[in-house]
């Protein structure tokens, strides 16, 4: 798990449901806490390597910058990454303008519709596979996708429901569609060639879900509206 003698964990701030900085600039979130207790269990120091987008974490896979990461399970990534079972399931949906005619996600897969998305994010990969008519406009990060949607007057921004709802709550010009286009399964991950580490990590995440640790951290951080697979709390 930690071949250098310390655990290098890739922390992605692109999804604030999982990781963000508090008012003092300190990293917080379920990804951060899972990395901390994994390092404690291994009795090694933790080194957090920060990214602003999941696509950038995946792109650095072979650069020897991290040992364990937190990413959504995606077929494109599974070719090179071994994932645990998901510890959180989050909805992917659209942010649109208040006066927009769209009421369901399926309506946006139409000619002349442009959707902003964070490059390499799980919902970018999903929409790339599934959209048949709409056009994706990629930004470097998920936050950048919202900026592109607003600044370029696009039809929608794709993303995780919770941060999109925060945008809508802060400005009545926007709203979030009630349904979703996919369920994003967030998991822990290691390079596929590290089979022993993958087995250990799979067991680790199962224990953290079963003990209630994942659910308790999410509730403490105000993220109780996400689904924890296998949790009965």
């Amino acid at each position: 798990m930690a071949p250098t003698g310390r655990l290098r964990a890739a922390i992605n701030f692109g999804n604030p449901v999982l990781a963000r900085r508090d008012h003092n600039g300190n990293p917080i979130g379920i990804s951060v806490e899972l990395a901390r207790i994994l390092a404690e269990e291994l009795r090694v120091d933790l080194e957090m390597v920060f990214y602003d987008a999941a696509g950038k974490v995946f792109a650095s896979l072979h650069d020897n910058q991290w040992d364990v990461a937190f990413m959504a399970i995606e077929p494109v990534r599974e070719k090179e990454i071994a994932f645990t079972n998901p510890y959180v399931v989050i909805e992917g949906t659209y942010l649109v303008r208040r006066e927009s005619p769209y009421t369901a996600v399926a309506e946006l897969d139409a000619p002349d519709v442009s959707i902003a998305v964070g490059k390499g994010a799980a919902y970018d990969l999903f929409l790339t596979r599934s959209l048949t008519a709409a056009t994706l406009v990629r930004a470097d990060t998920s936050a950048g996708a919202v900026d592109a949607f607003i600044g370029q007057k696009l039809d929608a921004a794709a993303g995780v429901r919770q941060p999109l709802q925060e945008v809508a709550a802060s400005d009545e010009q926007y709203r979030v569609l009630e349904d979703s286009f996919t369920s994003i399964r967030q998991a822990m991950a290691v390079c596929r060639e590290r089979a022993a580490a993958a087995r250990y990590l799979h067991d680790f995440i199962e224990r953290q879900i079963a003990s209630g640790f994942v659910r308790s951290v999410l509730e403490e951080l105000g993220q109780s509206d996400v689904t924890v697979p296998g949790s009965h709390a």
Side-chain angles (χ1 to χ4, degrees), residues 21-63:
R21 293 190 185 276
D22 65 15
H23 62 280
N24 293 318
N26 299 314
I28 60 173
I30 183 58
S31 298
V32 174
E33 293 307 313
L34 285 170
R36 283 177 175 158
I37 63 168
L38 177 59
E40 289 176 4
E41 183 171 293
L42 296 172
R43 298 183 180 180
V44 296
D45 291 334
L46 173 64
E47 176 185 338
M48 288 184 279
V49 185
F50 302 117
Y51 296 83
D52 60 6
K56 296 180 182 179
V57 180
F58 182 68
S60 67
L61 173 63
H62 298 296
D63 294 341

Side-chain angles (χ1 to χ4, degrees), residues 65-231:
Q65 295 181 12
W66 50 265
D67 303 309
V68 62
F70 299 82
M71 284 187 281
I73 300 170
E74 266 291 326
V76 171
R77 297 171 180 169
E78 285 184 305
K79 296 175 182 178
E80 299 183 74
I81 284 180
F83 288 99
T84 66
N85 287 334
Y87 60 89
V88 167
V89 178
I90 302 169
E91 290 185 338
T93 188
Y94 293 127
L95 177 74
V96 298
R97 287 174 177 75
R98 178 68 59 184
E99 71 276 12
S100 167
Y102 305 111
T103 59
V105 296
E107 297 170 2
L108 280 108
D109 190 9
D112 300 322
V113 170
S114 296
I115 301 169
V117 65
K119 182 179 180 181
Y123 27 92
D124 176 22
L125 301 177
F126 177 84
L127 292 172
T128 297
R129 293 194 307 271
S130 61
L131 289 178
T132 60
T135 299
L136 292 176
V137 178
R138 294 179 174 85
D140 285 342
T141 65
S142 298
V146 173
D147 293 338
F149 157 67
I150 295 172
Q152 298 179 39
K153 301 186 184 302
L154 304 178
D155 297 288
V160 172
R161 179 175 297 280
Q162 286 83 354
L164 294 183
Q165 286 176 328
E166 291 180 7
V167 175
S170 67
D171 192 329
E172 62 181 13
Q173 296 181 78
Y174 308 107
R175 59 185 171 86
V176 177
L177 298 188
E178 292 187 5
D179 62 344
S180 59
F181 54 77
T182 188
S183 292
I184 302 167
R185 300 175 296 150
Q186 294 288 339
M188 296 184 74
V190 295
C191 183
R192 179 163 288 282
E193 63 195 32
R194 297 173 59 196
R199 290 192 296 271
Y200 188 98
L201 205 59
H202 175 83
D203 176 71
F204 170 80
I205 203 65
E206 292 300 300
R207 287 187 280 113
Q208 304 317 313
I209 293 172
S211 70
F213 177 81
V214 173
R215 170 57 65 191
S216 66
V217 171
L218 289 166
E219 289 180 349
E220 288 173 10
L221 294 172
Q223 304 289 358
S224 58
D225 55 344
V226 300
T227 299
V228 178
S231 171

